[in-house]
Amino acid sequence: MLCFTVKGRAVPYTRMTHRGKYVKTDAQRYLAYQELVQLHARQAMARENWQCIPKKVPIEFGCKVYLKGGLDGDLSNYVKGIEDALNRLVYEDDRYIVRYMKGTAKEFVGRKDEERVEVWVQIAS
């Protein structure tokens, strides 16, 4: 199982056009967060000697999003953003995710410095 934590506030999935990713601040923030998730995933993969899960192999995925404040964003959009960031890196394609692991949730914390996302990925059993 590959596990890693991304510190800081999560950014939910953002729909964008090709042009929009260059001019919309929400899109730029989302793309920057994707790069941060990929950096943490690469570091975890190196530590665990993890190889990209190939196509057609069923995957279990989980993440817990810790946020300070109210009900900002849908859990599904946070999950989608993390899934997309890991495409062609941790697994070949997120369409092979067959199950969300127990613990996938959005939780609220009291302080901004506690905001983070914890991610788990493994080949489905």
Side-chain angles (χ1 to χ4, degrees), residues 4-12 33 36-37 40 62-69 72 75 78-79 82 103-120:
F4 63 94
T5 300
V6 181
K7 294 189 183 226
R9 186 165 184 89
V11 177
Y33 186 71
L36 180 64
V37 170
H40 286 279
C63 70
K64 191 172 279 192
V65 181
Y66 294 87
L67 300 169
K68 180 186 181 311
D72 299 345
L75 174 61
Y78 287 109
V79 171
I82 301 294
T104 298
K106 180 169 62 169
E107 301 220 355
F108 299 100
V109 294
R111 296 189 335 255
K112 191 158 186 65
D113 65 342
E114 296 176 319
E115 290 183 317
R116 67 192 182 280
V117 176
E118 297 171 353
V119 181
W120 319 280

Side-chain angles (χ1 to χ4, degrees), residues 23-75:
V23 297
K24 293 189 176 183
T25 55
D26 283 351
Q28 292 172 347
R29 202 172 107 237
Y30 172 70
L31 293 171
Y33 186 71
Q34 292 235 308
E35 289 179 14
L36 180 64
V37 170
Q38 292 166 353
L39 172 68
H40 286 279
R42 279 188 194 93
Q43 291 171 344
M45 291 172 73
R47 273 194 313 272
E48 300 295 325
N49 197 22
W50 181 277
Q51 299 296 317
C52 182
I53 299 172
K55 289 181 181 177
K56 299 184 181 177
V57 174
I59 301 164
E60 293 180 358
F61 175 89
C63 70
K64 191 172 279 192
V65 181
Y66 294 87
L67 300 169
K68 180 186 181 311
L71 298 172
D72 299 345
D74 297 343
L75 174 61

